[in-house]
Amino acid sequence: MSPTLRIRPIWLLTAVLLGCDGPSGPSLGSMRLTVLGLPAGTGAAITITGPGGFSQSAQVTQTFSQLTPGTYTIAAASVTAGTAEYSPSPATQTVTVPTSGATATASVFYSQATGNLSITITGLGTGSAAAVTVTGPGYTQDVHATTTLFGLDPGSYLISARDTVAEGGTTHSPTPTSQNVTVAAGGTASASVAYSAPSSGSLNLRIAGMYITQSTQTYPATVPLVTGRNGYLRVFVIANRTTAPAEVPNVRVRFYDGGVLPVDSALIVNTQAVSVPTAVDEDSLGYTWNVPVPGSRIQPGLSIQAEVDPANTILEENETDNLFPAVGSAVADVQTVPTLRVTFVPILQATTGLQGNVTNSNKDAFLDMTRRMHPVATVDAVVSGQPFTTTRTLQADGAGWAELLSEFNAAMAADGRYYYGVVRVSYGSGVAGVAYVSQGSANAHAALGWDHLTQGSASIVAAHELAHNWGRNHAPCGGALNPDPLYPQADGSIGSYGLDVATATLKRSSVRDIMGYCDPKWIGEYSYRGVMNYRIAHPLVASSGSATAAQPAILIWGRVRDGEPILEPAFQLTTAPRLPTRPGPYAVTGFAEDGSTLFDLSFTPSPVADLPSSSEEHFVFAVPLARAKADRLSKIRLAGNGREI
């Protein structure tokens, strides 16, 4: 097969200069400045400077004439009209006055500056809504939980709080019931409302809910559990009034296996709390009754029953509502997820001699955060005995990373394993890893990441890149490119409470998701469910099974960079077939010398994530082709996106 000649179009840009300086020197020009947005009678604060020491102020729309051609700077400052402040946009701009006698134009738009109001609600926890109303200049908004109100007109705002009924039917009263806050332009004012339950009266204890978390969980316990993975049970006990230390109960928990009560299932659970919460609150482990649950107990058919004050040692007005659920037991949704089989490969950069440091003794450190965050129970991790050598030199700005990933992916076997190339780089800040974002393709199972194990960096990178292989796009945080448009939290936070089971460390809902670029990181329900669903739906990618027998094939690989298709040289080899799993906008076709078609594959290339500058998609196929047919192969054509090579 002859090499492919790639021809790129060359565009000619012709510059035409109109007009010239005559014997009398350059002609003078003019500039029209338009000022918008200010109330009648209010002048702008604008200064124009330019060639020859030109400097002049402007307050209204006007035309400046007899200007020396050149570049002028227009600087606008904020102004006050009555009690309102108005800000300019843009604050600074440059305008070129031409020599042709034409009039240059510029505009400054003023708008009233706004402020923000941060409201903190305490005492109601997770499951109850506050009754707070904010009113101000032309503004009314109900607030039900801690939030920040943005874009408010400056002025005085009244915050009114009313009684609300928390979960369990207990009325909570706010303090204060009314307060005034001044919102200033460009600033953020703050206010707090604290809710509390009655401090006297007869006592009633009940269990409002419970859940097992293995990494992330919602209060209604909607996130499925992974078979065999350790978990952590939180039981939410609430009281109808404020309690004394002597009124803090214990809880008995029973675990059922397929409806049958095991002999060792009854546990008495205590709490660190000095009082019983009056509303469900996930924000501290001290507000719940907690116990670790071993993975051996988390199996399909698991159900749980909890009882507060099982020995009836605390006097209550109602002793009949202490069981949860009131009848039977709560059945857990337990899913079996395939074993994660991953091969680590050290990458050797021949140009620098740098080789990624991954060995049998440190391979578990690379998977530490993957085990803690992702729905993973069992792992089969091995380290390649031979490094993968590349002539690419990896740079902080992303240079070399995409080409290395393409070469690495083409060289890896199609054996049902994930391949993770470990690199060493000469910098401490920059691109740390890249990976394919799988769209159901069995070929999108390769990723690269650096070996900086200090402070868990390499482990965080691996958890991020592997999740791309499992179909996850970026969370919208920290400037991550191509964020998932369906991600439920606009700030890239996890949205639900997480827990590091290994250390019993709570992760608040404001922590950012592993798929974004913000810190600190954990994983939220959306990403966790996405990874679990992908791994269950694609078991042939996540587990080995019986590999397809090796046979003669043609290795075809390439990429699409910023819309331009690139076809790499093809090779004959004996390997397991790797074919497209779904059709797409691209096609690769093999022709014999007589023009007949030997193969024709429609496909969708796999996007590369975490490149800072270019858009890349890659593909690699091992097309089964008997030797006799391979000898007839004369030409390979890659077509798509209106281009063909």
Side-chain angles (χ1 to χ4, degrees):
M1 291 173 285
S2 59
T4 300
L5 177 63
R6 188 182 307 139
I7 301 177
R8 294 184 173 87
I10 299 176
W11 298 89
L12 298 180
L13 177 63
T14 302
V16 180
L17 302 179
L18 300 177
C20 63
D21 294 345
S24 60
S27 59
L28 299 178
S30 60
M31 176 174 60
R32 173 74 172 177
L33 174 64
T34 302
V35 180
L36 300 171
L38 288 173
T42 301
I46 301 174
T47 301
I48 302 100
T49 57
F54 178 88
S55 179
Q56 189 166 335
S57 299
Q59 293 184 314
V60 296
T61 297
Q62 65 184 94
T63 299
F64 299 90
S65 58
Q66 300 297 305
L67 297 181
T68 301
T71 300
Y72 287 76
T73 299
I74 303 171
S78 299
V79 297
T80 300
T83 61
E85 181 179 336
Y86 288 79
S87 299
S89 178
T92 304
Q93 59 183 304
T94 58
V95 175
T96 300
V97 174
T99 61
S100 61
T103 300
T105 60
S107 298
V108 176
F109 298 88
Y110 275 88
S111 59
Q112 187 172 346
T114 61
N116 310 318
L117 174 57
S118 175
I119 301 177
T120 301
I121 309 292
T122 59
L124 290 177
T126 305
S128 304
V132 175
T133 301
V134 178
T135 57
Y139 182 88
T140 300
Q141 177 66 49
D142 290 331
V143 173
H144 302 296
T146 296
T147 189
T148 299
L149 304 175
F150 296 95
L152 302 182
D153 291 339
S156 179
Y157 285 77
L158 173 65
I159 302 172
S160 304
R162 304 173 301 282
D163 289 355
T164 188
V165 178
E167 185 167 359
T170 302
T171 298
H172 284 56
S173 300
T175 303
T177 57
S178 178
Q179 56 185 306
N180 285 285
V181 177
T182 299
V183 174
T188 299
S190 61
S192 298
V193 177
Y195 276 89
S196 60
S199 58
S200 61
S202 57
L203 175 65
N204 189 57
L205 301 170
R206 60 186 292 269
I207 296 175
M210 61 183 174
Y211 62 60
I212 293 177
T213 178
Q214 293 175 318
S215 174
T216 190
Q217 189 57 271
T218 62
Y219 171 57
T222 58
V223 178
L225 303 177
V226 176
T227 301
R229 176 186 170 101
N230 292 342
Y232 196 81
L233 174 66
R234 301 185 72 186
V235 181
F236 297 87
V237 178
I238 61 174
N240 66 327
R241 64 164 172 79
T242 302
T243 58
E247 295 174 314
V248 177
N250 59 25
V251 170
R252 180 170 61 199
V253 177
R254 289 188 171 100
F255 295 90
Y256 294 83
D257 182 3
V260 178
L261 182 66
V263 175
D264 64 344
S265 68
L267 295 174
I268 299 297
V269 184
N270 295 305
T271 181
Q272 301 173 354
V274 296
S275 64
V276 180
T278 56
V280 172
D281 195 341
E282 296 180 83
D283 204 50
S284 170
L285 295 180
Y287 300 154
T288 51
W289 280 246
N290 313 309
V291 63
V293 183
S296 59
R297 185 163 275 164
I298 301 178
Q299 303 291 327
L302 170 69
S303 61
I304 312 169
Q305 183 191 70
E307 183 179 9
V308 63
D309 189 27
N312 293 327
T313 59
I314 299 173
L315 181 63
E316 298 182 67
E317 67 176 15
N318 185 0
E319 298 284 0
T320 65
D321 62 351
N322 289 7
L323 276 177
F324 184 88
V327 178
S329 55
V331 179
D333 180 6
V334 182
Q335 301 288 328
T336 299
V337 179
T339 296
L340 170 59
R341 292 180 167 87
V342 58
T343 298
F344 289 102
V345 182
I347 304 295
L348 172 61
Q349 298 175 65
T351 54
T352 63
L354 295 176
Q355 180 171 315
N357 178 27
V358 58
T359 64
N360 283 318
S361 61
N362 72 6
K363 65 183 180 183
D364 288 339
F366 284 89
L367 289 173
D368 180 54
M369 297 312 298
T370 297
R371 292 176 184 268
R372 291 171 186 258
M373 292 188 193
H374 289 302
V376 172
T378 55
V379 176
D380 170 21
V382 298
V383 178
S384 172
Q386 296 293 327
F388 179 85
T389 302
T390 179
T391 59
R392 310 290 180 182
T393 301
L394 302 183
Q395 303 291 338
D397 63 359
W401 281 88
E403 294 84 356
L404 171 58
L405 181 63
S406 179
E407 296 165 357
F408 180 68
N409 186 37
M412 295 304 103
D415 59 357
R417 299 184 69 87
Y418 290 95
Y419 280 83
Y420 193 86
V422 178
V423 304
R424 171 154 293 189
V425 295
S426 59
Y427 53 86
S429 177
V431 174
V434 295
Y436 294 120
V437 181
S438 175
Q439 298 171 333
S441 169
N443 297 326
H445 63 289
L448 303 171
W450 67 12
D451 64 357
H452 291 345
L453 288 171
T454 305
Q455 299 179 335
S457 175
S459 181
I460 288 285
V461 171
H464 179 99
E465 304 303 344
L466 285 171
H468 282 313
N469 280 179
W470 298 327
R472 294 296 87 205
N473 284 301
H474 284 133
C477 191
L481 297 178
N482 302 314
D484 186 343
L486 300 180
Y487 193 85
Q489 283 76 42
D491 62 353
S493 61
I494 60 178
S496 53
Y497 281 79
L499 188 86
D500 185 342
V501 173
T503 61
T505 303
L506 186 70
K507 308 293 183 178
R508 289 185 167 86
S509 57
S510 58
V511 169
R512 305 308 172 90
D513 194 88
I514 181 64
M515 297 315 298
Y517 285 173
C518 297
D519 292 315
K521 292 181 174 67
W522 195 247
I523 191 170
E525 176 191 11
Y526 181 79
S527 295
Y528 192 88
R529 280 180 173 274
V531 169
M532 177 181 285
N533 292 340
Y534 178 89
R535 297 198 62 230
I536 292 175
H538 300 86
L540 295 181
V541 176
S543 59
S544 59
S546 57
T548 304
Q551 54 189 288
I554 298 292
L555 182 70
I556 300 172
W557 59 300
R559 55 192 187 275
V560 181
R561 172 175 292 171
D562 294 328
E564 178 187 0
I566 300 170
L567 185 61
E568 300 289 357
F571 299 94
Q572 285 183 289
L573 73 170
T574 299
T575 187
R578 300 170 68 176
L579 296 172
T581 55
R582 61 173 185 161
Y586 289 87
V588 61
T589 309
F591 298 96
E593 290 185 354
D594 60 4
S596 60
T597 300
L598 299 177
F599 58 83
D600 188 13
L601 305 176
S602 172
F603 67 94
T604 299
S606 299
V608 179
D610 299 314
L611 290 173
S613 56
S614 63
S615 170
E616 288 226 9
E617 299 170 294
H618 293 177
F619 62 91
V620 57
F621 307 119
V623 184
L625 205 62
R627 297 293 184 189
K629 281 192 174 182
D631 290 342
R632 297 174 53 211
L633 184 60
S634 174
K635 180 175 66 175
I636 299 174
R637 181 184 65 195
L638 171 63
N641 197 30
R643 304 187 184 186
E644 179 179 307
I645 58 173

